[in-house]
Amino acid sequence: MKIGVVGSHSALDVCDGAVEEGFRTFAVCQKGREKTYTEYFKCERENGKVIRGMVDEILILDRFKEIMSRGNQGKLVGNNVLFVPNRSFSSYVDIGEIENNFRIPLIGSRNLLRSEEREEKKSYYWLLEKAKLPFPEKIDNPEDIDALCIVKLKHAKKKLERGFFTASSYKEYKEKSESLLRQNVITNEDLENARIERYIIGPVFNLDMFYSPIDKKIELLGIDWRFETSLDGHVRLPAPQQISLNEKQTTPEYTVCGHNSATLRESLLEKAFVLGEKYVKATQEHYSPGIIGAFCLQTCVDKDLNFYIYDIAPRVGGGTNVHMFVGHPYGNSLWRKNMSTGRRTAFEVKRAIEKGKVGEIVT
């Protein structure tokens, strides 16, 4: 049995964790962006033992979406692959195709991938409401903006990135949106369908969690936070310099380009676990069989130490490479060995095989 993944996003963590638990790995790559997997982190073995890297076998396609062809799926089946979905997989491949026509078992919750799309009727916001979990207040009409808000919509040119911007009044909303429209950063259609939320002023914590159907327990494996361009460049500038920026530089972009690790003060840990437990219960009630394996609650903490969930990844989070191989203080201390999200996923597969419960961890 091999652990497979789309070669992007968090694939290195998935592959690293798999080889640590004794599995061979299979990465599906796109031509022109494959060298990370085919060269720089290619697995080398001596007598079966890994001495370098973590990616064993590679399938290179012209486009990621070609993974759906009968022939390419046949290659995955022939290699006895269990597939770990990441955001690149559900972004480059149509979710309906994944739900109905992808024949390879997914380690995780196939039907929950759709909930990540804000436009869906039963999106993660719908789940948060059902679970009575805290999230930023929605503003239905931009004319009602009377305090700092964030406007969430897609970037017009960068397929997977954000065209987010902030505004503290309707006047600022109009000025910034018109500027971004002129620059072709956003479109009128996306602006009309944008979600406007109260801005939570506070640090960001991405809670990298794991639910084991075998143990019926939730785990906090680690916490990461993001480096975003050009936002992080803006905050390093003195205020007078920020004010003097020209139109194209004034509004920062929220393109994630890296991650770092974090911990929470211990008095907040129980609150974090409660968030995870309520989310797991809601998914089990409304998206049977519910969340399986890795997921990420993306949160902000306000001045009164209240959590707000502003996004959810119902699969391996985008920041888990920061825990790759070394693990994270929480996962390591729980399992008494280096335990990243990728390794915990592979460890669950190994335990499921040993207990004859593979059917409980795949969909």
Side-chain angles (χ1 to χ4, degrees), residues 16-47:
D16 177 76
V19 298
E20 282 295 296
E21 290 298 322
F23 293 97
R24 293 185 68 86
T25 59
F26 194 108
V28 179
C29 301
Q30 182 169 292
K31 189 179 296 183
R33 49 188 292 185
E34 78 278 6
K35 284 189 176 181
T36 296
Y37 313 96
T38 61
E39 294 186 26
Y40 308 130
F41 290 94
K42 184 75 171 69
C43 193
E44 296 178 16
R45 296 175 182 260
E46 287 185 358
N47 300 319

Side-chain angles (χ1 to χ4, degrees), residues 198-210:
R198 298 281 186 197
Y199 192 95
I200 306 301
I201 300 175
V204 171
F205 296 98
N206 296 332
L207 308 178
D208 298 312
M209 310 192 92
F210 193 95

Side-chain angles (χ1 to χ4, degrees), residues 218-233:
I218 190 171
E219 302 166 21
L220 176 62
L221 295 177
I223 299 173
D224 68 83
W225 55 279
R226 296 166 165 172
F227 295 111
E228 294 174 305
T229 181
S230 55
L231 178 64
D232 280 284

Side-chain angles (χ1 to χ4, degrees), residues 139 145-151 165-168 196-199:
I139 306 299
I145 296 174
D146 59 2
L148 187 61
C149 293
I150 186 165
V151 183
F165 65 94
T166 55
S168 56
I196 305 173
E197 297 177 350
R198 298 281 186 197
Y199 192 95

